[in-house]
Amino acid sequence: MKKPIAWVIDTTGFVTEEFKAHPDVYIVPLNIHFGTEEFIDDGVDLTNDELYQRIKDSADFPKTSQPSAGKFSELYDKLKEEYECAIAVHASAKLSGTIASSTAGAEMSEFKVYAVDSLALSYGLSGLIERGLKLQEQGIGAEEIAQRLEKETADFRNYILIGNLAQLYKGGRMSGAQYYLGSLLQIKPIVQLTPEGELKPIDKVRSHKKAIQYLINHAKKDYEEHGVRKFQIMHGHVSNEAESLKQEVLKEMPDADILIGDLSSSLAVHAGEGTLAFQWRREAL
């Protein structure tokens, strides 16, 4: 007898240790390119330390690419022997072609896959998988779970403090004049994944201290008005700064439940070392 649901997540999400150990969760890595060199984003082919060192040293701006439809087809060919269907949660279609590859792969394999556009990155994907697994435990069917997850994308909140202006400049996302002025004035750009799944700048703050308070103020508003208690801090190779942010949050929200994790490589190659992303959902999981 086949199992009901396989769960699929790509590595633009935050891959938790629980996901790695879960028998029904399957992780599909993206690819990272430095010039003609290609690495699999699996934490083995290229570790976090190596990724950030290469970003510093490489003359080529790193790029990411989604897994091919063929890669997804290979996975789905295997899954259809064991599962009735799959729910695949992927990065925002506005930022990555992964969900299109996943859907094409499912069609090639003739396997039923409910592909959910998270409209997010990082923990925005992971939280939906966690929520879906809980709904499955309640006996809810795959189609209804997928529909609920699509609705719950609207609950995601995030504020991203860019850690490295030079990385934005190298990637062509900031002009030379903006880079010079931003560095001179110590501007801290804050960007956000919008409800439509686009990454957009929303504010600029003078000084790191003010930027940290900016993040906390937005979280505290949902803490007080919507009862949010679970938060996630994703960081770009600065675990000490992430821990410091956590302690500052706990001063103002002492019963907050805060997870710290590594930023996904898809954001890391663009935002650079030192980036902090503060995320949560208005609806508790």
Side-chain angles (χ1 to χ4, degrees):
M1 184 176 177
K2 291 184 178 181
K3 293 194 279 187
I5 306 172
W7 295 86
V8 178
I9 184 172
D10 63 73
T11 52
T12 56
F14 175 59
V15 179
T16 66
E17 292 302 316
E18 289 76 14
F19 288 171
K20 292 177 184 178
H22 199 292
D24 299 321
V25 175
Y26 296 84
I27 302 157
V28 183
L30 272 72
N31 303 304
I32 304 173
H33 307 267
F34 285 89
T36 58
E37 290 187 276
E38 179 177 304
F39 300 88
I40 299 171
D41 180 25
D42 58 3
V44 177
D45 199 24
L46 187 68
T47 67
N48 260 0
D49 287 345
E50 291 169 340
L51 170 65
Y52 286 102
Q53 192 59 49
R54 278 184 168 272
I55 288 173
K56 287 180 181 177
D57 297 342
S58 178
D60 297 307
F61 181 77
K63 298 178 181 178
T64 57
S65 63
Q66 72 264 22
S68 67
K71 285 290 184 184
F72 277 108
S73 179
E74 288 176 18
L75 172 63
Y76 294 148
D77 280 343
K78 295 175 183 177
L79 295 185
K80 72 180 181 182
E81 300 300 320
E82 191 178 350
Y83 295 89
E84 293 176 3
C85 68
I87 295 178
V89 179
H90 294 301
S92 169
K94 296 283 181 67
L95 303 174
S96 171
T98 305
I99 193 168
S101 290
S102 178
T103 301
E107 291 174 356
M108 290 164 64
S109 297
E110 297 182 338
F111 180 52
K112 182 61 180 176
V113 177
Y114 297 95
V116 177
D117 186 341
S118 69
L119 301 176
L121 291 168
S122 191
Y123 205 86
L125 286 69
S126 313
L128 290 177
I129 294 276
E130 290 177 351
R131 175 64 170 159
L133 287 167
K134 290 185 178 181
L135 292 174
Q136 184 181 3
E137 289 174 3
Q138 297 171 20
I140 298 172
E143 184 173 6
E144 184 177 345
I145 291 174
Q147 290 172 350
R148 290 195 187 190
L149 296 185
E150 287 173 349
K151 291 179 181 178
E152 290 185 18
T153 59
D155 298 330
F156 184 60
R157 298 292 180 270
N158 66 98
Y159 294 87
I160 304 165
L161 173 60
I162 298 298
N164 192 335
L165 293 182
Q167 194 66 9
L168 287 181
Y169 172 57
K170 283 171 65 178
R173 287 166 171 77
M174 175 179 281
S175 70
Q178 287 174 320
Y179 171 54
Y180 175 76
L181 188 61
S183 300
L184 188 67
L185 299 177
Q186 293 187 308
I187 294 294
K188 303 295 180 181
I190 296 174
V191 302
Q192 186 177 60
L193 280 156
T194 69
E196 296 75 36
E198 298 177 290
L199 198 59
K200 290 186 175 180
I202 57 168
D203 219 330
K204 294 177 182 176
V205 183
R206 293 279 293 274
S207 88
H208 184 76
K209 184 178 180 180
K210 288 182 179 179
I212 291 298
Q213 193 58 50
Y214 181 100
L215 303 184
I216 294 172
N217 289 346
H218 281 83
K220 192 173 182 180
K221 187 173 186 294
D222 279 350
Y223 172 89
E224 293 175 343
E225 297 180 6
H226 297 276
V228 175
R229 292 296 180 270
K230 290 188 176 183
F231 300 90
Q232 300 85 39
I233 300 172
M234 301 289 112
H235 66 89
H237 210 228
V238 282
S239 57
N240 57 330
E241 291 189 24
E243 182 61 36
S244 177
L245 173 57
K246 176 180 177 178
Q247 296 309 315
E248 290 300 315
V249 172
L250 290 174
K251 288 179 184 177
E252 301 195 31
M253 296 168 267
D255 60 339
D257 179 2
I258 304 171
L259 170 73
I260 293 177
D262 294 312
L263 203 63
S264 70
S265 61
S266 298
L267 273 177
V269 297
H270 298 297
E273 190 169 12
T275 293
L276 290 172
F278 199 17
Q279 309 172 340
W280 61 90
R281 289 187 184 278
R282 278 192 176 174
E283 295 293 328
L285 294 177

